[in-house]
Amino acid sequence: MTQKKAQMWFKERRIPFQFVDLKEKEMSRGEFESVVESVSRAAGSRAEAVELLADKNSKDYASFAYLDGSDKE
């Protein structure tokens, strides 16, 4: 789902949401920790959560893929 479609879906259902453009303003360390913690509950581990959050189609992924767990974060 694209960003615009998602925003429209929430608006149509009167569900409050907050949009943050990560290209304009990156996440703080606390925000990152919160997202990783939330994803890790579903993924099973922190390492799996970081892997799921990584953009595997990015041109920089090849250099990221070989790092150990703590360096990936």
Side-chain angles (χ1 to χ4, degrees), residues 35-59:
V35 169
V36 171
E37 183 179 320
S38 295
V39 174
S40 67
R41 282 189 224 120
S45 74
R46 188 172 179 89
E48 288 179 41
V50 171
E51 251 333 288
L52 287 171
L53 292 169
D55 180 4
K56 293 175 178 64
N57 296 322
S58 169
K59 64 180 179 183

Side-chain angles (χ1 to χ4, degrees), residues 7-41:
Q7 287 178 345
M8 187 61 78
W9 189 89
F10 285 113
K11 285 179 184 177
E12 288 171 351
R13 288 157 181 79
R14 296 186 180 143
I15 300 171
F17 67 93
Q18 180 179 7
F19 172 72
V20 178
D21 186 354
L22 294 176
K23 291 179 183 176
E24 185 177 307
K25 181 182 178 216
E26 64 184 46
M27 275 191 220
S28 70
R29 185 67 184 174
E31 290 169 325
F32 176 76
E33 290 295 328
S34 176
V35 169
V36 171
E37 183 179 320
S38 295
V39 174
S40 67
R41 282 189 224 120

